[in-house]
Amino acid sequence: QEQLVESGGGSVQAGGSLRLSCAASGYRYSVACMGWFRQAPGKEREGVANIDGDGSTDYADSVKGRFTISKDNAKNTLYLQMNSLKPEDTAMYYCAYSGRYPCARWWAFQYSAYANWGQGTQVTVSS
């Protein structure tokens, strides 16, 4: 059964760190483009980072230099290390599977390009 399950969210103060995990099952996980998205109340879901089958990564400008996306193919797990968190990073975070390869900037940050989603994990950053 195809499934994505996120974990690792929580509440931190500004400047703190969190690491999100996404356990993937039933997908060609190691090959396809995978992404992390976030959605704050009243805002559209936005792409945060994505990673290709060969490990190539790309980031939204708002998180570049602070967030790191990675994956462990042996564990079928996607990660998002978030450092220097800001209150504006507060959102529900989702991992997503595109079923496409390779990632490309013209679509990989668009939520409509991803077929499968996890249930989300909440990140709250206080000032």
Side-chain angles (χ1 to χ4, degrees):
Q1 182 178 354
E2 299 174 336
Q3 192 174 16
L4 297 170
V5 180
E6 301 97 333
S7 61
S11 297
V12 296
Q13 290 191 326
S17 299
L18 284 173
R19 189 175 82 154
L20 306 184
S21 299
C22 173
S25 59
Y27 297 101
R28 295 185 65 194
Y29 164 82
S30 63
V31 175
C33 181
M34 300 281 294
W36 283 101
F37 285 73
R38 67 186 181 187
Q39 188 167 20
K43 295 189 176 181
E44 289 192 353
R45 192 168 298 190
E46 63 172 349
V48 174
N50 52 74
I51 187 166
D52 225 332
D54 65 359
S56 300
T57 59
D58 200 4
Y59 299 91
D61 289 343
S62 59
V63 306
K64 199 170 293 183
R66 300 188 299 121
F67 290 11
T68 302
I69 188 172
S70 63
K71 61 179 183 173
D72 185 332
N73 288 337
K75 295 181 179 180
N76 278 2
T77 302
L78 183 71
Y79 301 100
L80 185 68
Q81 177 67 45
M82 306 185 295
N83 298 328
S84 301
L85 283 161
K86 304 175 181 180
E88 51 263 44
D89 295 319
T90 294
M92 185 72 79
Y93 283 72
Y94 300 89
C95 69
Y97 171 82
S98 72
R100 301 168 69 173
Y101 175 84
C103 298
R105 178 161 270 262
W106 70 268
W107 63 261
F109 287 95
Q110 299 173 21
Y111 67 83
S112 59
Y114 290 77
N116 301 92
W117 296 82
Q119 82 289 350
T121 186
Q122 177 68 38
V123 172
T124 303
V125 185
S126 58
S127 57

